[in-house]
Amino acid sequence: MPDTGMPEHVAIVMDGNGRWAEQRRRSRSWGHQAGLKALRRTARHGTEIGIRILTVFAFSSENWNRPAIEVSRLMDLFMSALEKEVKGLHENGVKVRFIGDLSGFKPELQDRILAAQELTAGNTRSQLNVAANYGGRWDIVNAARTLAEQVRAGELDPADIDEGRFSAGLALPDTPDPDLFIRTGGEMRISNFLLWQSAYTEFYFSDVLWPDFDGDELDRAVEAYRRRERRYGMTGKQVRDRAHA
Ligand code: IPE
Ligand code: IPE
Ligand code: MG
């Protein structure tokens, strides 16, 4: 049985808040509040078991298409979460980063995001990346634009564009790609999350709705991950010979 070891970087599509609330005949926004609690306990447990980097999908570039009342309540939740959670994260040595097009948010929210990043920038125990107004295609287009600007300025020869240079223009350039990608809520799709970065990520889908997710569920996902054999195009024998070398 292979043991791939602990994942260093785990990405999570926290899906199912709305259905969780609807099952309880409550508003979808109430489900998002319960989702925040699930994030708190999952992030804490992740740090305890040695997951160094956690990247969570909080709001996609497509989520603006939801009913205005749900979007507005989500923005309120982000505002209050930033106010209440950042201090505790900072005390626990967590570095908080946001990825996505922050210019889509109102200035007060942008200010809180920047303040959270600044406060926690020096922390090294673990890293929490929050994807907000993020889309994988937006990320790739952004990186392409950065390279195009360098070419136009005469700083870069198109012949020198390679995967390394390209990915330097993406969100999280200094972070290893996710090892494990978890999606809760039963849906088996990426929904425009880390498209480029998850080229060789291991996927794990759970039927649990996000507000019910906890440390035990995270442990289950990590256990499943550890039994995977990551081959990167090689044969299983090559991988096993390498591991024993
Ligand atoms: C995920 O839960 C949270 C966000 C997209 C903000 P959903 O709100 O998508 O929950 P379901 O999928 O409708 O149950
Ligand atoms: C993905 O979930 C985005 C987040 C969890 C923030 P969605 O619920 O928006 O995805 P779709 O619409 O089912 O693909
Ligand atoms: Mg959903």
Side-chain angles (χ1 to χ4, degrees), residues 147 160-170 177 196 199:
L147 292 177
D160 291 334
I161 296 176
D162 57 14
E163 291 182 11
R165 266 185 217 269
F166 193 91
S167 58
L170 291 165
D177 287 341
W196 169 287

Side-chain angles (χ1 to χ4, degrees), residues 14-20 28 32 58-59 63 66 70 74:
M14 309 183 289
D15 195 23
N17 295 348
R19 280 165 287 165
W20 186 88
R28 296 179 54 87
H32 296 314
F59 192 82
N63 287 147
R66 294 195 174 194
E70 182 173 345
L74 271 168

